[in-house]
Every structure is written in structure tokens, then in C-alpha cells.
Amino acid sequence: MGYNKLPLHKQAELYLRRLIEQDEFRDGKLLPNEVELSEQLKMSRNTLRQAINTLVSEGLLIRKRGVGTRVAEKNIYSEATNWLSFSQEMKVLGVEIENFEFHISKQIPSDEARSFFSIPENTKVWRIERLRGKVNFPFVYFVSEFNPEIPLNGTENFNRPLYEILRNDYHIVVKTSKEEISAAPANNFIASKLEIETGDPILIRKRAVSDTNGLPIEYNIGWYRADSFTYKIESVRNGI
């Protein structure tokens, strides 16, 4: 099938795939805006946007509200085996982390956290919320809730890695992380934090973390930009 016989949105998609391979765009230059591109391709902005959305969902393009669209940098990868904290994951990958927001409070936990900790209703827990990412590029919003049996007091130096604080200050060594990952459209709150559009795809990563004694320690949810995070799983089959 020739180029001109492809549906219009596929023609636009093919054009964009060729465009983003050019050095100037791979080096960080913003793509032409939708008006310019639609005029160049002689097609509607809705058709063009359909093609852009496809490349965004594949992690090839990044749209930033009020800025424009650019080629995505290499994705952040996480592997299911030998799990690491977020700080450790980024250190292994050689990614410099920037903390954009930090909030700590003591409040009634989410139903999921309360169930995990097996605590009575109306028991307050420490809750930490953080917006984190690469330099000048926030890509994950975290909410962590902690078992009230942990003697956190809210004055800890949270510039240190969280699990380092638990180990060095409270002799708590985390061991097990049970994870659940799902995809969803970003709501208004998460979209505003991650600098994406409401409804853009995100990955939701839930972690239930226990220590070496099996005590529930942390219930964590991370909302990741889908264009910046890939989760890899390696499985080994026993037997034939």
C-alpha cells in the first residue's frame, strides 16, 4: 500500500515518526505546533492530534502543557526482580532526581492502607506526598502511608532515602514489596502535577511493603507519566 493510500491519521503518524528521527528534534528541539503541522500535511488538527496521541502513548513523544511537544528521552525502566526503592532505581539508571514538592501530614489513612496495616478506623498515620522526576521534568507523584507502629515523628530529614531512614534511625529493614500496576487516564489533580492534559494516559503503581519480620511498613501509590516509565518483567519457568 502506498503512502497516499493510508488513512490520513496513519499518514500523519508516519510523517511524525520520520520527523522525530531528525537530529535537531532528537536533541530536544520542540516539534512545530499543531497549526503548523496540520497546514504542512493539509489535514485537520483532530486527525493530526490522533497521530500525536499514538506516539505519546508509545512513549516516543512528550507533550508539556503550555510548552509544546518534543521527542521523549530514554524511558525510565523498572524491573520486577530484586525490587528497589525509587531512589535506588534512579541511582542504578544514573538518573539525577529532582524533588519538586514535599508534604507530610498525619491523617486518617486510605481504606487500602488501613486494611494493609490492620488498624482500627479513625487511627491516624503519617502520610508523605512527593512530586519527583528528572531535572526540570516531573514524572511521578507519590503518596506513602506508614504503619502507626513505626515511631516516625515528622521531623526526620526526608532528603535522605526513605528506607535508609527506616534502617538507620529505627532499625527497620524492608524486604518484601507486593505490587500492582494499572493504566488509567489522568484526573485533573494528577494532570496538573505531572504537567500533562487531563485524560492523558498514566500508570498507577501500588506497593505494599513489609519488613524482614513480615510487619506491614508502607503503603505507597505512584502515579507515573506513561510516556516516561516502562515496567519490565522477567519470568523463569520451572520444568518443561
Side-chain angles (χ1 to χ4, degrees), residues 76 85-101 130-140 142 158-159 161 224 228:
I76 300 300
S85 70
F86 177 79
S87 297
Q88 290 172 323
E89 287 177 341
M90 299 302 102
K91 184 176 181 180
V92 167
L93 291 167
V95 175
E96 183 180 352
I97 289 302
E98 182 169 342
N99 294 308
F100 297 88
E101 291 183 23
R130 289 190 280 192
L131 178 62
R132 313 186 76 184
K134 296 182 283 189
V135 176
N136 297 321
F137 181 62
F139 65 77
V140 58
F142 284 120
F158 288 101
N159 288 323
Y224 291 78
S228 299

Side-chain angles (χ1 to χ4, degrees), residues 20-147:
I20 66 178
E21 288 300 317
Q22 297 179 18
D23 289 342
E24 60 183 310
F25 296 115
R26 296 180 70 176
D27 289 341
K29 181 181 177 181
L30 291 173
L31 267 62
N33 62 42
E34 290 184 5
V35 173
E36 294 177 46
L37 285 173
S38 61
E39 289 178 353
Q40 289 177 22
L41 295 172
K42 294 181 173 54
M43 62 180 60
S44 72
R45 291 178 63 183
N46 286 338
T47 300
L48 174 64
R49 192 172 294 120
Q50 185 178 351
I52 292 174
N53 287 342
T54 297
L55 271 62
V56 168
S57 67
E58 292 179 13
L60 297 176
L61 291 177
I62 293 173
R63 284 181 304 195
K64 195 167 185 178
R65 183 180 299 168
V67 178
T69 303
R70 63 178 176 82
V71 178
E73 297 178 21
K74 183 179 178 182
N75 277 8
I76 300 300
Y77 284 89
S78 179
E79 299 193 5
T81 57
N82 192 25
W83 73 278
L84 302 171
S85 70
F86 177 79
S87 297
Q88 290 172 323
E89 287 177 341
M90 299 302 102
K91 184 176 181 180
V92 167
L93 291 167
V95 175
E96 183 180 352
I97 289 302
E98 182 169 342
N99 294 308
F100 297 88
E101 291 183 23
F102 177 89
H103 311 282
I104 184 167
S105 59
K106 202 165 192 180
Q107 57 182 274
I108 300 299
S110 63
D111 290 341
E112 292 170 304
R114 183 174 63 81
S115 176
F116 178 52
F117 299 143
S118 298
I119 56 178
E121 291 186 15
N122 300 320
T123 301
K124 291 186 176 182
V125 302
W126 284 108
R127 175 187 176 104
I128 292 176
E129 300 179 51
R130 289 190 280 192
L131 178 62
R132 313 186 76 184
K134 296 182 283 189
V135 176
N136 297 321
F137 181 62
F139 65 77
V140 58
Y141 191 80
F142 284 120
V143 171
S144 291
E145 297 171 288
F146 298 93
N147 192 325

Side-chain angles (χ1 to χ4, degrees), residues 185-197:
N187 61 27
N188 291 337
F189 176 79
I190 293 298
S192 67
K193 295 297 182 183
L194 300 183
E195 300 179 1
I196 57 179
E197 299 293 332

